[in-house]
Amino acid sequence: MGAALERLWQQLRTIWQGMGRTARLATAGGVVAAVILLAAMVWVAGRPRYQPVFTGLGTEDLRAVTVALQERHLDFRVDEAQGAVYVPEPQVHQVRLDLAMQGLPKNSVVGFEILKETNLGLTDFERRLRYYWALQGELTRTIRAVQGVQDARVHIVIPERSLFIAEQQPATASVLLTLMPGVTLSRDQVRGIVHLVANSVEGLTPEHVTVVDQKGTVLSDALDAAGSGSAARTAIAEQLQLKRTYERELERSLQATLEQIWGPGHVLVRVTADLSFDQQEEKHEIFSPVVNGRSGIIRSEQRTEESAVGQTGAPPAGIPGVTSNIPGYVEPAGGGGPSQMQRLESVTNYEINRVERHIVMAPGRIQRLSAAVFIDGPTMDALQRQRTEQLVSAALGLQPQRGDQVTVESMVFGAAQAPSALQGQLLATQARPGVQGVAWWLAALALAVGVAYWVNRRMRAARQRVQVTMPPVVPETAEPSPEEQERRRMRQEIEQLAREKPEEFVQLLRSWLVEES
């Protein structure tokens, strides 16, 4: 092993001595760059990965958590823009437990616990101010528990009491809500927050409570319009809310179905529903005629029958009157014989058929549905578009005869920017933990290959410049002397080395030339 290292060192030394000044500077620069690159790779690989302990902290909580970590002499990073604190990944859970035992973070809200602190020097005004401060904190904590609310701030204004009732100003309150992304509070939730605040403060009415979201939209205006307006306004507001709720439900169901195919975040769905809130009442009276006397209900029936089969003697004849009643009057002779008579009379009255239908159509009937689906990706062919439209139509239950339609488009979605440079770097590192290491190793490998290729070319050029001329061997008939035999043996070994190991032969010649010079 030592001989091999010695031989390698001699070869490198020979190569170095055979180089020019420019080649030596280039080689030294490549070696230094490779060493720096390897050192950077080792430093990057050994650097700890940071994970967020808390995010969305307020100024006071951020300061308190920072002080607590400094007291523990822990390594951490702070992103003030996002209110986030990052620590090395193996310490995340332990740090959270330790800070939780200290009651951190406190969410920057002070509640009724502030009243536990006793201070004999407080005035009545300061005591009342501390009470309202604690009340605002408790209301903030309660409102944060509402579904869809990420953060809240409550401000209560209680005017000074006046001796005159006419001059007394009412109490007011304002609530600032920070909603979660994509969440919209319903009117019932806003009404619940308004009544919660109004019933928690003495002398405060719901009309004097204002609720605003982080976009500056006054959410309580919808309640005022519905409460102070007519019944028609209230009905319209409820209809719009019902329409939007129905559309959101269809969008959520359809998007969940399509994301199973294209992946989360690669599908955008919008549904528009045309609902009819008209309440219709229909009455139908259908009269069914009697057909061939076989249908219908008999209302009345009258029937008369007369029958005479036979008769003996002559039937009565003559002129009725006085003459026929005079005694001694002889009637003229007439013929007599058998007689037969029959009479049948029937009258049937039928009731006219009548069918009455009373139909009341409930409001909220679907008149038309329209759906637009956007898919993240390249342009779809006709077959894929047709299959997607069929899938959407089946999922929503669209009816073409009703005028329903669906549109499917494919386009590349825009990527959202990271909120801050530090957070973006951390998220990229967490999402792809091995990308940076692989990139560094590939760069180092490329540099090493380049240096090896350059050195190999220099060695080839050096070998080509060396010209070895061996004198011809002249056979001798006489017995050679011992010195001649030694020279012949060395010459044969040199020739064999030149044939079998030309590189070592070149290095040997270089070493000889260096020693002679």
Side-chain angles (χ1 to χ4, degrees), residues 255-396:
Q255 185 158 357
T257 302
L258 296 179
E259 284 183 347
Q260 297 294 327
I261 303 175
W262 282 280
H266 296 280
V267 179
L268 180 62
V269 179
R270 289 294 179 266
V271 177
T272 301
D274 187 6
L275 304 180
S276 175
F277 294 96
D278 298 334
Q279 186 173 0
Q280 300 179 0
E281 183 176 349
E282 298 181 1
K283 278 188 176 183
H284 299 275
E285 291 185 2
I286 302 176
F287 297 92
S288 178
V290 178
V291 181
N292 298 327
R294 296 183 180 179
S295 63
I297 300 175
I298 299 176
R299 181 177 184 182
S300 62
E301 183 177 6
Q302 181 179 359
R303 189 167 183 172
T304 304
E305 295 183 2
E306 292 184 1
S307 178
V309 178
Q311 182 178 0
T312 57
I319 302 173
V322 179
T323 304
S324 61
N325 294 324
I326 297 175
Y329 179 76
V330 180
E331 296 181 357
S339 175
Q340 184 176 4
M341 183 182 63
Q342 185 177 3
R343 178 186 176 189
L344 178 61
E345 182 178 353
S346 178
V347 178
T348 303
N349 296 324
Y350 289 91
E351 188 71 35
I352 300 176
N353 290 341
R354 178 182 178 185
V355 179
E356 183 177 352
R357 295 178 182 176
H358 184 71
I359 301 175
V360 178
M361 303 183 67
R365 181 169 53 91
I366 301 175
Q367 291 184 335
R368 187 170 176 268
L369 280 178
S370 300
V373 179
F374 302 94
I375 299 174
D376 183 14
T379 304
M380 304 172 60
D381 54 18
L383 181 59
Q384 291 179 342
R385 190 184 305 274
Q386 181 181 2
R387 290 180 177 177
T388 306
E389 291 179 355
Q390 293 176 355
L391 175 62
V392 174
S393 300
L396 296 180

Side-chain angles (χ1 to χ4, degrees), residues 12 64 93 142 181 184 208 210 216 253 276 336 438 469 511:
L12 293 178
H93 301 290
T142 305
T184 302
H208 295 94
T210 304
S253 176
S276 175
V438 172
T469 304
S511 61

Side-chain angles (χ1 to χ4, degrees), residues 502-517:
E503 295 181 357
E504 295 184 2
F505 176 69
V506 172
Q507 299 299 329
L508 180 61
L509 289 179
R510 287 182 179 178
S511 61
W512 287 348
L513 294 174
V514 171
E515 291 177 358
E516 292 179 358
S517 60

Side-chain angles (χ1 to χ4, degrees), residues 6 79 106 133 179 191 212 336 343 348 371 410 431 445:
E6 182 67 22
D79 185 2
K106 297 180 180 179
W133 186 14
L179 304 180
R191 185 184 296 110
V212 183
R343 178 186 176 189
T348 303
S410 60
L445 180 62

